[in-house]
Amino acid sequence: LKKKINNNNRSNKNYSMFELYYINNEDDIKKLDINKELVGDIPKDLILKRISDGKETLIKESDFKINIKEVWLEESQIILKVLFPNEINEDFLYINCKLNFELSRYGIFKNKAMKFVKGLTNQYFVYRENGYDHLYTRGINNTGCCGMTHCWDIQHPLQLRLPKDPDIENICVGAYHVFIITRDTETNVQKIYSMGYNSENQLGLGGSDDDSFGVSQPTEVEFFTKKGIDIKEVVCTNFGSLFIAKDGQCWGIGQNIHNKLGLGSDTYLKEPQQIDILKHVQIIKYVGGRKIGVFLSKLGKVYITNNSIVQLDLLKKEVIIDVDVNTSCLYCLSNNKKLFCINYKELQIINE
C-alpha cells in the first residue's frame, strides 16, 4: 500500500506521506484520513472527539491538521503519537476499533513535555509540572503492570501515585513486569518499585507467598536501597530481571534457564544475586534472547552466557558499541560501523 500511495500521489503537492487503512465489517479496505498533511473533508464515518478534564468536545476540521510522529496497534485500538498545530509538545490520540473507529484525544497531556515508555501491552507517561513528576499508565492490567488493584484493562491513562512524589529516573518495562526507578526529593536516596507477574520472584521482593502470582501495586525493592547501590537500568526478560548499577556491576533474579542471566544455576532466589564473574567489568548494556544473554562492556567487549560467561573471542579486535539478539543470531555493531551477524549456537560470523 505504501508504494502504491507514493506512486499515485507524486503529482500532487499535498500528497500524504502517512496513511492508515482498516478493514470494516464488510471486509472492505477503507482509508482512514489521518495524515501528516490532511487535505479535504473529515470522513463521515469517523467521529472526532477530544477528551479533556472528563469532557468530550468535537474536534473541528481546522483543528485536525496534525503531524503524526508514531503509530502502533493494540488488540482493539490504534494509538497515535501526534503534534497538534500551535502546540509545542506531543500528545496522544487513540482510535477505538470496536466503536465505529471513534477517535479521541487523551487531553490530560495537552501541550506538556513528556517522557513516554511503551511496553508490549502497556504505556507509561511522565510529565513534570510544579516541580513534581506525574506518572500515568494505561494498557492491559491482568498481571498488575499498570499498578492498579483491579485486573481490568485501562483504556484511558490513569495517574499512578508513588510515595512522597519522587523524581522518576527510569521506567523499565517487560512483557509481564515493570520497574520504576525513582529518587526521593528530600533525602536524595534512590528507590526502586516493581509490579506485575512474580512467579519466579523476578520482582525482587523477597519471595513472599502472598505475591507469588503477581503484585498489582508499586512495591519497593528494598535490597538495593539497603546496600546503597544506585541502579541505572533493569532489563526485564519474560520471567527474570537483570539489574545494571551505575558503576557497571550486575545483579540478577528470576528464571535463569540456559543460564540466560549469567547466575550459574536456575535455583529460586529470594533476593538479587550479583554476577561475580563480571565484577571487574563495567557493563553498560544487557540483552536477553531465548537461550542466551549478552553483556556489553564500557570498553566495547562482548560477553555471552553459556554454562558460564565468556568473552566473545571472534570480536576481540573490535570495539563494539551496540548489541542485539534474536532467536538464533547475535548482532554486534562496531565503532567503525561494521555490523556482525553471529550464529551464537556455533559462534561463527555468518555475515559482516
Side-chain angles (χ1 to χ4, degrees):
L1 284 175
K2 185 177 180 182
K3 184 177 180 182
K4 182 180 177 182
I5 291 165
N6 289 339
N7 287 341
N8 289 347
N9 290 311
R10 287 188 190 282
S11 60
N12 185 350
K13 292 181 180 179
N14 294 321
Y15 72 90
S16 300
M17 290 298 294
F18 202 114
E19 295 187 331
L20 295 177
Y21 289 78
Y22 68 93
I23 300 176
N24 65 11
N25 293 333
E26 286 75 37
D27 291 333
D28 296 328
I29 295 179
K30 301 189 71 176
K31 176 181 171 184
L32 201 61
D33 281 331
I34 306 172
N35 313 308
K36 280 194 172 180
E37 293 293 332
L38 183 67
V39 181
D41 297 332
I42 294 176
K44 293 180 180 179
D45 58 350
L46 186 64
I47 303 171
L48 306 178
K49 292 183 179 180
R50 178 178 299 173
I51 297 179
S52 182
D53 298 327
K55 298 179 181 178
E56 293 187 358
T57 55
L58 291 177
I59 298 177
K60 299 178 182 178
E61 183 176 342
S62 58
D63 294 337
F64 200 61
K65 199 170 185 180
I66 59 175
N67 188 342
I68 295 179
K69 300 291 188 179
E70 187 179 356
V71 176
W72 70 93
L73 303 177
E74 291 184 352
E75 288 185 0
S76 62
Q77 292 191 114
I78 302 170
I79 311 293
L80 303 138
K81 185 179 181 181
V82 302
L83 182 64
F84 276 85
N86 304 319
E87 294 187 7
I88 301 172
N89 298 303
E90 296 161 342
D91 200 353
F92 295 83
L93 297 173
Y94 63 96
I95 300 167
N96 193 322
C97 302
K98 292 182 177 179
L99 296 175
N100 195 26
F101 283 81
E102 177 178 294
L103 180 131
S104 304
R105 181 180 183 179
Y106 286 148
I108 52 177
F109 306 126
K110 180 181 178 183
N111 211 20
K112 291 182 171 68
M114 279 187 302
K115 178 180 179 181
F116 171 63
V117 180
K118 180 175 66 177
L120 183 66
T121 58
N122 305 85
Q123 296 87 47
Y124 302 86
F125 311 81
V126 180
Y127 68 87
R128 192 165 184 83
E129 190 172 67
N130 300 325
Y132 295 99
D133 284 342
H134 300 264
L135 172 62
Y136 283 76
T137 179
R138 68 163 302 280
I140 295 175
N141 193 44
N142 57 1
T143 61
C145 282
C146 288
M148 305 296 169
T149 54
H150 57 73
C151 62
W152 308 316
D153 295 350
I154 300 171
Q155 300 295 331
H156 303 279
L158 296 178
Q159 188 166 12
L160 183 59
R161 294 275 186 185
L162 296 173
K164 296 184 178 180
D165 294 322
D167 290 342
I168 296 173
E169 294 187 343
N170 202 356
I171 301 175
C172 308
V173 184
Y176 309 110
H177 64 297
V178 61
F179 290 86
I180 304 171
I181 303 175
T182 72
R183 189 164 298 277
D184 192 301
T185 54
E186 297 178 0
T187 63
N188 200 36
V189 173
Q190 185 187 78
K191 291 188 177 183
I192 301 173
Y193 297 89
S194 62
M195 54 194 180
Y197 199 53
N198 197 39
S199 61
E200 306 290 329
N201 197 31
Q202 58 264 43
L203 298 182
L205 299 176
S208 169
D209 292 337
D210 294 335
D211 54 37
S212 59
F213 177 74
V215 176
S216 59
Q217 286 184 303
T219 305
E220 185 179 351
V221 182
E222 298 180 348
F223 176 83
F224 296 102
T225 305
K226 289 179 178 179
K227 290 183 175 293
I229 299 169
D230 276 3
I231 297 298
K232 179 182 70 173
E233 183 182 9
V234 188
V235 182
C236 302
T237 63
N238 279 348
F239 304 104
S241 305
L242 194 287
F243 300 82
I244 303 177
K246 290 186 177 180
D247 63 0
Q249 297 297 290
C250 296
W251 282 260
I253 191 170
Q255 191 181 78
N256 191 44
I257 293 178
H258 307 294
N259 196 31
K260 188 164 64 174
L261 295 176
L263 298 172
S265 67
D266 195 27
T267 56
Y268 183 87
L269 298 173
K270 285 200 170 184
E271 60 184 25
Q273 176 180 306
Q274 186 168 9
I275 302 174
D276 292 334
I277 201 167
L278 294 175
K279 272 186 177 180
H280 304 293
V281 181
Q282 190 172 359
I283 298 300
I284 59 173
K285 183 174 182 178
Y286 167 85
V287 289
R290 192 170 65 180
K291 295 183 178 181
I292 193 174
V294 182
F295 297 84
L296 176 63
S297 77
K298 188 176 182 180
L299 297 179
K301 303 305 176 185
V302 178
Y303 300 82
I304 62 172
T305 61
N306 201 330
N307 294 327
S308 183
I309 299 176
V310 296
Q311 186 176 345
L312 192 59
D313 291 334
L314 292 174
L315 302 176
K316 274 190 173 180
K317 295 181 179 179
E318 302 288 340
V319 177
I320 303 302
I321 60 174
D322 203 2
V323 292
D324 207 349
V325 295
N326 63 14
T327 54
S328 61
C329 293
L330 162 63
Y331 298 91
C332 299
L333 179 66
S334 70
N335 63 344
N336 55 8
K337 304 304 178 185
K338 288 183 180 179
L339 181 62
F340 298 90
C341 178
I342 300 169
N343 184 327
Y344 61 70
K345 293 181 180 179
E346 302 174 1
L347 292 182
Q348 294 178 347
I349 295 177
I350 56 179
N351 200 359
E352 178 183 337

